[in-house]
Amino acid sequence: MRDELRQREGDRHRALLAGDPIAFAHFMRVHQSRVFRIALRWLRSVEEAQDVTQDVFLTLSRKLSQFEGDARLSSWVYRVAVNHAKN
């Protein structure tokens, strides 16, 4: 069972990195609430946190090809979200 889950996750990551729009939509659904919470924690404004969340996913979509895989994808998302909220 775990091997199947790892395989599916690996397939999703490969599809995401290959530019598959369905994989990116899934990626957004998985990470959107976490990115929003990070932004809200930094900004303390729902509207600004929504704007930052949108900016984070625009940045991620443009820079996915630069993701080297040295860290977990979720760690990279976290770092991008924090950097956008700080700025």
Side-chain angles (χ1 to χ4, degrees):
M1 183 70 159
R2 280 188 181 166
D3 290 338
E4 289 176 32
L5 290 175
R6 284 188 189 140
Q7 178 65 35
R8 268 190 267 152
E9 185 174 319
D11 290 344
R12 278 193 213 115
H13 283 165
R14 280 187 288 282
L16 177 64
L17 296 174
D20 182 334
I22 293 171
F24 191 77
H26 175 76
F27 169 76
M28 280 184 61
R29 278 192 305 275
V30 168
H31 294 283
Q32 189 170 8
S33 64
R34 181 173 184 224
V35 169
F36 176 77
R37 286 191 314 270
I38 291 166
L40 187 59
R41 195 174 318 131
W42 278 90
L43 300 167
R44 305 208 187 280
S45 163
V46 170
E47 293 81 17
E48 288 181 25
Q50 289 170 335
D51 289 344
V52 165
T53 299
Q54 184 176 15
D55 290 344
V56 165
F57 284 103
L58 287 172
T59 297
L60 291 171
S61 71
R62 287 192 303 261
K63 300 204 176 206
L64 270 172
S65 63
Q66 296 175 11
F67 178 70
E68 297 176 3
D70 295 338
R72 293 179 60 176
L73 189 57
S74 60
S75 298
W76 185 57
V77 170
Y78 173 82
R79 180 57 28 213
V80 171
V82 168
N83 289 342
H84 272 274
K86 282 181 173 181
N87 293 329

